[in-house]
Amino acid sequence: MSEHDGRDPDPGTGDEADASTDPQEGDECGCGDACEVESASASGATGETGTGDPTGESAGSARAEFGVPDMDCASCASKVETSVRKLDGVGDIDPRVTTGRLVVDYDPDRTTPDDIRGNIEGAGYAVEGGPSTREVSLSVPDMDCASCAGKVENALRDAPGVLSYETRPTAGTAVVTLAADADLDSVVSAVESAGYEVTGTDGDDGDNGHGHSHGGSDADRESVWRSTRAVKTWVSGGFLTAGIAAEYLLGLELVVASVLGVSFTVAEVLYLLGAAVGGQAILRNGYYSAKNRSLDIDFLMSTAILSAVAASLISGPTSLYFEAATLAFLFSVSELLERYSMDRTRDSLRELMDLSPDEATVLRDGVETVVPVEELELDDVVAVKPGEKIPVDGTVVAGDSAVNQAPITGESVPVDKAEGDEVFAGTVNEAGYLEVRVESAAGDDTLSRIVSMVEDAQSNKTEREQFVERFSSYYTPVMVVVAVAVAAIPPIAFGLDWVTWFVYGITMLVLACPCAFVISTPVSVVSGITSAAKNGVLIKGGTHLEAMGSVEAVAVDKTGTLTKGELTVTDVVPLNGNSEEDVLRCARGLESRSEHPIGEAIVSHAEGTGVAGREVDDFESVTGKGVRADLDGVPHFAGKPGFFEELGFDLEHVHVTGPGEELSEDVRQLCDRHGCLNLVEDTIPRLQSEGKTVVVVGTEDDLEGLVAVADEVRPDARETVAKLREAGLSVVMLTGDNEGTARAIAEQVGVDDFRAGLLPEDKVAAVEGLLDEYGSVAMVGDGINDAPALATATVGVAMGAAGTDTALETADIALMADDLSKLPYLYELSHRANNVIRQNIWASLAIKAVLAVGVPFGYVSVALAVLAGDAGMTMGVTGNAMRLARIRPDE
């Protein structure tokens, strides 16, 4: 209808989603995330009011959080908890070892944050916080993985004045708590000494209100493939390719150089050049890893490359330059892919923050004043004109309008808002003028919580690919120690030939480099991701490929995912002797000046069926009910059924054109003549039960007909759900729409279960509940309102073209062509990829183990160690990974 008509947007019952009237429903304390924060700065704690544990187990009605940076193990946590537990009035205690924080529920009438702080210090642990500290966010865009974060953490750990820190690779930031007299420049220098540039800093009042900074513009993201690292990678690949051609295609054995008695063929020179160019950044990072005592992937790959070169120089005839060049090139490509994916992810929070306006028009003493949103106070009244974004969470105190809540609730059509109704920051006032009373401070509104949830969910998500890195951090040191022992102990202790045992030691050192082991996962990931990309599925990293293959349940958003996300006309019911064309002609005329999605759907349908328009005069919207206009000089109306009841029509006794088969089930035998409908009891409820919105069209004297509009289910939705269930997955639909609409769609597509009336917080809670039930859950969605749930799930899948940029960037996987039928293919590909990765990892480890056992007995030479343990296994794991490319969506 008209953007001013304010008709109910919910197809079906016409009721708003329950969640829209109580966004905090289900919170333990009843106040949701907007709990009032009490000042406890003097104690170094942050307290927040609440009711404590509703079961009565918790004694407290307040909560305090303390920074205890030295509480870094289970033993420490136990000591601190035992000490605090001695206090009277202490309830639940949550020691968070990984972040060095202690959260305590307590009764403020029986104890205080100062008492708790004293007991923590009495256990021997310093408490950070209070007026003597400050929090600073460092922008470190190159810190884009757990390995990078580890080096930055090691640097911060030794920096003077640093009390605590939290690295956030997904945001490219490090949040550091400093002593008041700490030198920020020295902290920045410490991070940069680890090899990571700090591009900016902000304090507690950062640019986004959360103390976080986000780097990476579109230009920066696109330049990844034209960066210096990328150019060196492509040059390295060129040298590697040329070397392969010289050695295997041309068979060139010509010696072109000799250094210190070591001869080099054309191919070897090319391999060395490839390793030098591609490995430059790797070796640089490996140097910083060693400097910061971090035996991470950079150190391991540096060790692998240098070991291959060193072994080649020492062993003489054996050439391992090809392996060194291959490792340098493949790992560099992997790093570029990781950077590109991470830069894309970082843009999601920026788009979310851009939804909220920077300024608001506040009414004070009857005067309109434009002020920054941050300056709004609770109980202020702001004016929101048509087309403007609502700046805060609040309650309408004057005016009525249709509000597009899609950014928050995901509802397919605008929602009518009148005095007393709740509105959310970031939603758009489509039509009338509104005055809204501010009920949440800036940074504590629904949109800000969405931003916070996305960031927290991403920063806390487990990296599934870190097994290789964790294992290598033990494997390499142990093997290096073994290599030194093999080289030194026999000659020193038993007088054996030192050359022989030195070579044995070098051989063990080569085996200490987990080349095939390290590459076993990346090559499988590259194969799987490449195969998926060719079939229209974008997977943003190996972690997500692995995660998708292990999910037990799939949560699917309704609007824009299971449905098309676009309203279309589904039914036209002519009444009182009119034809369908007559009804559409009048409906088109009435809606021709409308910007409402329902009106646009009707006009589009009429145009598509060739129905001509009519001359329109005196167009007027009747807020909350419908529209009126003169069509060819005759007054006409269109709107809700209740609108026509107010006009005096009897909707319980309406004549149809004829008892056509399509509507024969509605024809009632309750009057003297056949062909009569009871719209109130039969037709309208039937259409609404199918998830449709009903628009009545008529003149002042006669009802001309009904037009039903709905968001159509995707043609492949039911088949997709069936295939997922055949694969053993449970499928649950999540939606912000009302119960009736949700039930109708759920029955059409055949899901196992559905949850209706959900706000973003509720969708997160629903996903968390599924995680508790199934352990591993995929979330499929498209809207900004889906972003927190996408980030919370084990793996988030966004519908590509139909999805908002935020959902697309927040998600881990995108269906590029909006082809829902690719979901079963995605699961099958990921499931097989997991099997291939496991096969590659255990096979490479087994070969290493067998070779290591044979070295001291003289059964394994350097050449065999490299050919079997490195080159052979590299070829083996690569060939095994390539099998993933054979999987097709139509299989």
Side-chain angles (χ1 to χ4, degrees):
M1 305 304 297
S2 165
E3 64 180 36
H4 304 283
D5 65 21
R7 284 178 295 181
D8 188 3
D10 287 324
T13 64
D15 296 325
E16 295 183 20
D18 292 340
S20 67
T21 61
D22 184 10
Q24 311 303 340
E25 183 178 352
D27 280 321
E28 278 189 4
C29 64
C31 61
D33 294 330
C35 294
E36 179 182 359
V37 178
E38 65 181 15
S39 174
S41 60
S43 67
T46 300
E48 54 185 73
T49 63
T51 60
D53 186 44
T55 64
E57 296 178 3
S58 173
S61 58
R63 172 172 294 179
E65 182 175 337
F66 302 84
V68 191
D70 293 335
M71 183 182 66
D72 54 9
C73 65
S75 175
C76 300
S78 177
K79 284 186 287 186
V80 171
E81 184 174 356
T82 300
S83 179
V84 173
R85 184 69 68 186
K86 296 176 182 178
L87 290 170
D88 184 35
V90 170
D92 292 337
I93 301 176
D94 181 14
R96 301 172 181 176
V97 174
T98 56
T99 57
R101 312 295 293 179
L102 182 75
V103 179
V104 182
D105 289 335
Y106 67 97
D107 184 347
D109 294 330
R110 299 160 66 188
T111 191
T112 67
D114 284 335
D115 295 334
I116 299 173
R117 178 191 180 102
N119 276 42
I120 296 173
E121 293 175 339
Y125 294 87
V127 179
E128 68 170 19
S132 61
T133 66
R134 57 186 172 131
E135 186 175 86
V136 177
S137 178
L138 309 179
S139 179
V140 192
D142 290 340
M143 182 187 66
D144 54 13
C145 65
S147 173
C148 303
K151 289 198 282 288
V152 171
E153 289 171 357
N154 287 338
L156 290 172
R157 184 177 298 122
D158 299 329
V162 174
L163 301 179
S164 68
Y165 50 82
E166 179 186 358
T167 54
R168 298 169 177 170
T170 54
T173 60
V175 180
V176 185
T177 302
L178 302 174
D181 57 352
D183 181 12
L184 180 59
D185 290 339
S186 66
V187 176
V188 172
S189 297
V191 174
E192 293 183 338
S193 70
Y196 295 90
E197 180 184 6
V198 178
T199 60
T201 64
D202 59 49
D204 295 327
D205 298 322
D207 58 348
N208 60 13
H210 297 278
H212 313 304
S213 67
H214 305 280
S217 63
D218 290 343
D220 294 334
R221 182 177 70 236
E222 293 171 357
S223 68
V224 167
W225 304 109
R226 301 188 301 273
S227 64
T228 302
R229 177 73 181 270
V231 172
K232 291 179 179 180
T233 300
W234 311 141
V235 172
S236 171
F239 281 128
L240 175 61
T241 302
I244 294 174
E247 183 174 3
Y248 297 104
L249 299 181
L250 303 179
L252 296 179
E253 299 291 339
L254 178 64
V255 175
V256 296
S258 180
V259 179
L260 299 178
V262 179
S263 299
F264 298 91
T265 65
V266 173
E268 290 172 341
V269 170
L270 292 171
Y271 292 149
L272 280 172
L273 289 173
V277 175
Q280 181 181 356
I282 300 172
L283 295 176
R284 174 181 176 275
N285 291 336
Y287 161 74
Y288 283 115
S289 297
K291 180 180 177 182
N292 288 280
R293 304 181 300 279
S294 178
L295 295 178
D296 56 14
I297 195 70
D298 291 315
F299 178 83
L300 297 176
M301 293 304 296
S302 298
T303 302
I305 294 171
L306 293 176
S307 296
V309 174
S312 300
L313 295 174
I314 293 173
S315 62
T318 303
S319 173
L320 309 178
Y321 307 121
F322 167 76
E323 286 73 20
T326 300
L327 289 172
F329 173 68
L330 291 180
F331 186 66
S332 293
V333 171
S334 176
E335 290 286 277
L336 293 173
L337 289 170
E338 183 176 26
R339 170 64 55 80
Y340 177 77
S341 177
M342 191 60 62
D343 285 347
R344 298 279 297 183
T345 301
R346 290 172 184 172
D347 285 341
S348 59
L349 290 179
R350 181 178 296 107
E351 183 184 334
L352 279 173
M353 290 182 286
D354 288 344
L355 285 174
S356 183
D358 297 325
E359 296 179 329
T361 303
V362 62
L363 301 176
R364 291 174 179 168
D365 298 326
V367 179
E368 290 189 358
T369 305
V370 178
V371 301
V373 172
E374 292 76 12
E375 295 183 8
L376 292 176
E377 300 177 356
L378 294 179
D379 294 327
D380 273 344
V381 175
V382 297
V384 187
K385 299 176 182 178
E388 291 183 345
K389 292 180 180 178
I390 296 174
V392 293
D393 282 3
T395 300
V396 176
V397 294
D400 47 57
S401 179
V403 175
N404 182 359
Q405 295 192 151
I408 301 298
T409 67
E411 291 165 290
S412 53
V413 292
V415 177
D416 294 338
K417 297 292 182 180
E419 186 174 345
D421 289 337
E422 186 176 23
V423 293
F424 307 109
T427 58
V428 181
N429 180 19
E430 295 278 351
Y433 173 85
L434 293 175
E435 292 183 4
V436 178
R437 183 176 62 246
V438 178
E439 295 187 345
S440 65
D444 194 31
D445 52 65
T446 301
L447 183 60
S448 297
R449 291 200 298 272
I450 291 176
V451 174
S452 179
M453 283 188 292
V454 170
E455 185 176 54
D456 290 346
Q458 289 180 341
S459 63
N460 295 331
K461 189 179 293 185
T462 302
E463 293 291 341
R464 293 179 177 269
E465 272 190 347
Q466 297 310 307
F467 167 74
V468 170
E469 192 170 331
R470 291 196 302 270
F471 183 89
S472 298
S473 67
Y474 293 100
Y475 173 82
T476 298
V478 169
M479 291 300 292
V480 169
V481 171
V482 171
V484 172
V486 169
I489 294 178
I492 295 175
F494 304 107
L496 300 179
D497 180 58
W498 73 270
V499 174
T500 300
W501 287 95
F502 180 77
V503 173
Y504 287 167
I506 290 297
T507 305
M508 294 297 293
L509 189 61
V510 171
L511 293 176
C513 174
C515 301
F517 175 60
V518 170
I519 205 174
S520 61
T521 298
V523 295
S524 302
V525 167
V526 169
S527 178
I529 291 177
T530 301
S531 176
K534 291 178 179 177
N535 291 286
V537 179
L538 174 64
I539 303 176
K540 298 184 179 179
T543 301
H544 317 310
L545 179 70
E546 288 185 337
M548 187 64 198
S550 61
V551 298
E552 298 293 335
V554 179
V556 189
D557 174 55
K558 180 187 75 69
T559 305
T561 304
L562 288 173
T563 65
K564 295 179 179 179
E566 300 176 356
L567 293 177
T568 58
V569 174
T570 59
D571 301 86
V572 179
V573 183
L575 303 172
N576 293 315
N578 291 285
S579 66
E580 289 191 11
E581 185 176 347
D582 295 332
V583 177
L584 282 175
R585 184 179 296 110
C586 291
R588 175 179 179 176
L590 288 165
E591 303 290 2
S592 60
R593 297 185 181 181
S594 169
E595 296 181 4
H596 194 287
I598 292 177
E600 292 175 353
I602 291 174
V603 171
S604 176
H605 179 77
E607 291 177 347
T609 55
V611 174
R614 299 180 64 174
E615 182 179 344
V616 182
D617 294 305
D618 296 331
F619 177 87
E620 176 188 358
S621 81
V622 183
T623 303
K625 300 175 182 179
V627 298
R628 73 160 303 282
D630 288 346
L631 303 181
D632 298 327
V634 179
H636 280 71
F637 300 85
K640 296 179 179 179
F643 182 28
F644 280 79
E645 289 180 330
E646 292 180 7
L647 292 174
F649 287 93
D650 181 10
L651 301 184
E652 296 183 358
H653 190 106
V654 181
H655 294 279
V656 296
T657 301
E661 288 188 11
E662 191 173 348
L663 292 173
S664 60
E665 64 183 11
D666 293 318
V667 177
R668 299 289 299 270
Q669 307 297 326
L670 298 179
C671 63
D672 297 332
R673 293 171 295 177
H674 293 290
C676 176
L677 292 180
N678 186 328
L679 299 182
V680 175
E681 294 185 6
D682 292 328
T683 308
I684 293 175
R686 177 179 67 81
L687 293 171
Q688 290 177 339
S689 69
E690 296 171 358
K692 301 172 183 178
T693 296
V694 178
V695 178
V696 183
V697 180
T699 67
E700 292 178 324
D701 302 316
D702 295 305
L703 292 179
E704 297 180 331
L706 308 178
V707 178
V709 179
D711 182 8
E712 287 188 319
V713 173
R714 292 178 183 270
D716 51 3
R718 185 173 186 84
E719 182 181 1
T720 296
V721 171
K723 288 183 177 179
L724 291 174
R725 296 181 65 188
E726 287 176 5
L729 302 177
S730 295
V731 183
V732 179
M733 185 183 77
L734 309 181
T735 179
D737 273 339
N738 60 75
E739 182 88 9
T741 300
R743 185 177 303 279
I745 300 299
E747 291 175 354
Q748 288 184 53
V749 300
V751 296
D752 294 286
D753 194 7
F754 70 91
R755 317 285 165 81
L758 305 180
L759 285 168
E761 299 100 318
D762 304 321
K763 288 188 177 182
V764 170
V767 170
E768 289 175 342
L770 292 173
L771 285 170
D772 292 338
E773 182 177 356
Y774 294 98
S776 183
V777 177
M779 171 67 192
V780 187
D782 73 295
I784 290 175
N785 61 295
D786 298 325
L790 289 170
T792 302
T794 308
V795 57
V797 182
M799 299 294 289
T804 64
D805 290 340
T806 296
L808 187 60
E809 306 304 342
T810 303
D812 308 312
I813 299 172
L815 306 182
M816 300 305 293
D818 276 352
D819 189 352
L820 195 64
S821 66
K822 296 292 177 64
L823 274 177
Y825 157 74
L826 171 61
Y827 174 74
E828 178 64 17
L829 175 69
S830 302
H831 185 69
R832 293 195 193 180
N834 282 345
N835 291 335
V836 168
I837 290 172
R838 284 192 290 268
Q839 293 165 6
N840 286 347
I841 288 175
W842 293 115
S844 59
L845 285 177
I847 293 296
K848 290 281 189 181
V850 171
L851 293 174
V853 171
V855 169
F857 298 99
Y859 297 138
V860 179
S861 64
V862 173
L864 181 59
V866 174
L867 291 175
D870 288 330
M873 279 310 303
T874 297
M875 294 176 62
V877 298
T878 302
N880 192 34
M882 290 301 103
R883 296 189 300 116
L884 296 175
R886 302 174 186 172
I887 302 175
R888 295 288 184 269
D890 53 357
E891 291 182 353

